[in-house]
Amino acid sequence: MSTPETHLPAGALPRPMPVFGDGGDSCCLLHDPRCRILLRQTRTVIAEWCIRTGRMYLSPEAKQFSFAAALEGHPVGCVFRECDVHAEDWPQVSALYGNVLAQDAELTLRLRRTDGHYLWCRVMLSRLTDGDGLLTGVLVTINNVHEAVAAQRVLAYRAEYDSLTGYA
C-alpha cells in the first residue's frame, strides 16, 4: 500500500492530541460558526484530525462515546479501538484501517457509549486535501441511525416470520 502525500515527511505523521471544541484553530471545521450550527441542526458528531497541528478536534457531542476519552496517541484516522465498537462490527473497522488515509469510507456500526450501551451509527471518514491534492487531515462524521436500523430489523423479521404458524 502506498502512503498518500502529506505536508509531512513519510513516517512523520504525528499522533493526534484530542481537543473538544475548535481550540481556536482555523484548521478546524468547528471554528466556523455556520458549520457548528449545521452540526447542531443535523445532530452530527465530528472528529477532525489536522496534520498541521497534530490535533484531533471533537465536537462536544462526541463525549457520549467511549472513544472520545481515549484518543490521545491513536494512529491517524484510527479513531475507534476494538473496545469502542461492537464485536460483530469490529472486522469491518479493522479492515478499513489499512486504507484509511488512501480513500474515503462509510460504515454502519454500533459504537459504545460511555454508559456501556451500543448505538447504531453511520460513520463516514473523509480525506481532507489542499488545492494541490496533499492530505491535510481526516474528517470523521458520526450520525445516530439507531432507530432506522431497529425499524429495518423489525421489518426484516416480520417479512420472514409467520405469526399464524410461528415458523420463520
Side-chain angles (χ1 to χ4, degrees), residues 70-104:
L71 271 177
E72 192 163 355
H74 278 218
V76 174
C78 296
V79 177
F80 310 118
R81 301 166 300 161
E82 191 168 355
C83 63
D84 299 324
V85 177
H86 192 279
E88 293 175 13
D89 302 327
W90 180 249
Q92 65 177 330
V93 175
S94 61
L96 170 70
Y97 281 165
N99 265 350
V100 75
L101 295 180
Q103 64 185 21
D104 294 349

Side-chain angles (χ1 to χ4, degrees), residues 1-23:
M1 178 180 87
S2 63
T3 303
E5 289 188 66
T6 64
H7 290 293
L8 300 171
L13 294 174
R15 303 282 183 165
M17 179 182 77
V19 175
F20 286 96
D22 69 5

Side-chain angles (χ1 to χ4, degrees), residues 97-141:
Y97 281 165
N99 265 350
V100 75
L101 295 180
Q103 64 185 21
D104 294 349
E106 180 178 343
L107 305 166
T108 300
L109 50 88
R110 289 161 285 189
L111 293 177
R112 188 166 60 88
R113 298 183 333 188
T114 54
D115 65 6
H117 292 95
Y118 288 93
L119 188 68
W120 280 102
C121 297
R122 181 178 59 117
V123 178
M124 297 181 73
L125 287 90
S126 302
R127 299 171 69 247
L128 302 174
T129 57
D130 64 11
D132 298 325
L134 297 174
L135 185 67
T136 60
V138 176
L139 179 67
V140 179
T141 60

Side-chain angles (χ1 to χ4, degrees), residues 19-39 46-48 50 52-53 55-60 128 139:
V19 175
F20 286 96
D22 69 5
D25 192 334
S26 61
C27 173
C28 178
L29 185 69
L30 290 169
H31 185 70
D32 184 338
R34 292 172 299 174
C35 288
R36 285 197 306 264
I37 291 169
L38 280 170
L39 294 171
I46 70 163
E48 180 180 354
C50 179
R52 183 174 54 77
T53 64
R55 291 184 174 175
M56 177 70 79
Y57 298 95
L58 299 166
S59 58
L128 302 174
L139 179 67

